[in-house]
Amino acid sequence: MKADGTRVNPWPSPPNPAVALDDALAVANYGAPVLAAIEQQAAVVDGDQAAARLVAEMDNIHQAMRAHDAGAIRRSVGLIGRLLGRDVEAQAQAERLAGQLNVCLLRADSVVAELQRVLPVRLQQAARMIEAGHAVDRWAEAGERLVRDASAQAGDENAATLASLQRRLHHLRGVARLTALEASQLQLLHAQGVELLERYQRIRDVLLPLWRQQVLAGNAAGMSARLASAAEVQGRILAEVEAMQARLR
């Protein structure tokens, strides 16, 4: 930004005329300033590892939530898995993760914070790549106009130079396509990252509290059943004691 608030264009504009056709070196390097600017602007934003770690923690949370559903674990491994004892291993793993659920959540929250920092930068980089593609296209268009004008003139003294320039313009068009592809890939990664964060938030804020309520309700129901069973046993014992006392009278 300049002091007056206008934005500084980081991409150099093509000169007018685009290039001197009698300068073979300039023709061979046509577009070098904009290509150098792209190389300086390009920055690697690596959020893939963070996304993979978040998916892994989400899988851990999912396994922990299945610890109280042995039937679901048995069904998930199939008949062959049960014969091989994989359901026992999966149950043990789920119970271990259930005991570490809060730790899994803390790790996942840390990864979420990292992704939240990466995503805006990735989107900004995508915007820069779009601008870069447009800048390269402007250089290519300027060179193509020069080729058309020179080709319209009589004589073929510049034929070799024009052929060299056309090869350079073809290269620039290829660079423009690559930057557009990179921008679209960055935008796709950004969208996938946003979706991943939304899925995690639904698990953390909706599904996980609901699951905990169900577990507590199940535990309460189980405790009620155990209390009823204990009262029944106590009643039987009391009846036996009363019967023994009656015989002793």
Side-chain angles (χ1 to χ4, degrees):
M1 288 283 186
K2 293 182 180 179
D4 59 1
T6 58
R7 191 174 177 205
V8 177
N9 182 9
W11 312 110
S13 299
N16 187 20
V19 66
L21 293 178
D22 58 354
D23 188 340
L25 182 59
V27 169
N29 290 322
Y30 179 72
V34 72
L35 296 180
I38 291 175
E39 188 174 352
Q40 291 175 357
Q41 287 285 327
V44 177
V45 181
D46 187 11
D48 294 343
Q49 292 184 356
R53 292 201 308 273
L54 181 56
V55 170
E57 292 301 341
M58 290 169 70
D59 183 61
N60 288 338
I61 293 168
H62 174 254
Q63 290 187 57
M65 293 171 68
R66 295 199 308 172
H68 296 280
D69 192 351
I73 291 178
R74 286 194 298 271
R75 290 191 297 273
S76 69
V77 300
L79 177 60
I80 301 300
R82 291 196 295 273
L83 293 175
L84 295 174
R86 291 173 183 165
D87 58 329
V88 177
E89 297 175 0
Q91 181 69 44
Q93 174 75 355
E95 291 175 355
R96 182 183 66 81
L97 290 170
Q100 301 175 356
L101 183 56
N102 288 335
V103 176
C104 293
L105 287 171
L106 287 174
R107 286 199 300 258
D109 287 344
S110 176
V111 178
V112 165
E114 182 178 345
L115 272 177
Q116 287 173 334
R117 291 192 298 269
V118 167
L119 289 180
V121 178
R122 180 176 280 165
L123 199 58
Q124 292 169 5
Q125 186 180 2
R128 286 200 300 271
M129 289 300 98
I130 291 173
E131 293 176 354
H134 293 332
V136 175
D137 278 333
R138 287 193 293 271
W139 280 76
E141 289 166 3
E144 288 164 357
R145 284 194 300 270
L146 179 62
V147 170
R148 287 194 300 270
D149 293 343
S151 299
Q153 297 176 1
D156 58 354
E157 64 275 7
N158 292 326
T161 304
L162 290 177
S164 176
L165 180 57
Q166 286 176 323
R167 288 192 296 270
R168 185 64 175 176
L169 296 176
H170 180 73
H171 171 69
L172 291 178
R173 289 297 192 186
V175 172
R177 288 193 295 270
L178 287 176
T179 55
L181 177 61
E182 183 178 350
S184 65
Q185 289 174 338
L186 288 167
Q187 290 170 333
L188 177 61
L189 287 172
H190 177 269
Q192 291 174 339
V194 170
E195 181 182 359
L196 183 60
L197 290 178
E198 291 174 348
R199 288 181 180 275
Y200 173 70
Q201 290 303 134
R202 283 197 296 271
I203 291 173
R204 200 189 199 296
D205 299 340
V206 179
L207 298 180
L208 192 56
L210 179 61
W211 170 78
R212 281 175 165 159
Q213 288 177 0
Q214 292 174 341
V215 169
L216 289 174
N219 290 341
M223 180 59 72
S224 297
R226 286 191 291 271
L227 288 173
S229 177
E232 182 182 357
V233 172
Q234 183 181 4
R236 290 177 181 176
I237 294 173
L238 182 58
E240 290 292 335
V241 171
E242 289 176 346
M244 290 176 62
Q245 290 173 342
R247 286 194 296 269
L248 292 175
R249 290 195 183 102

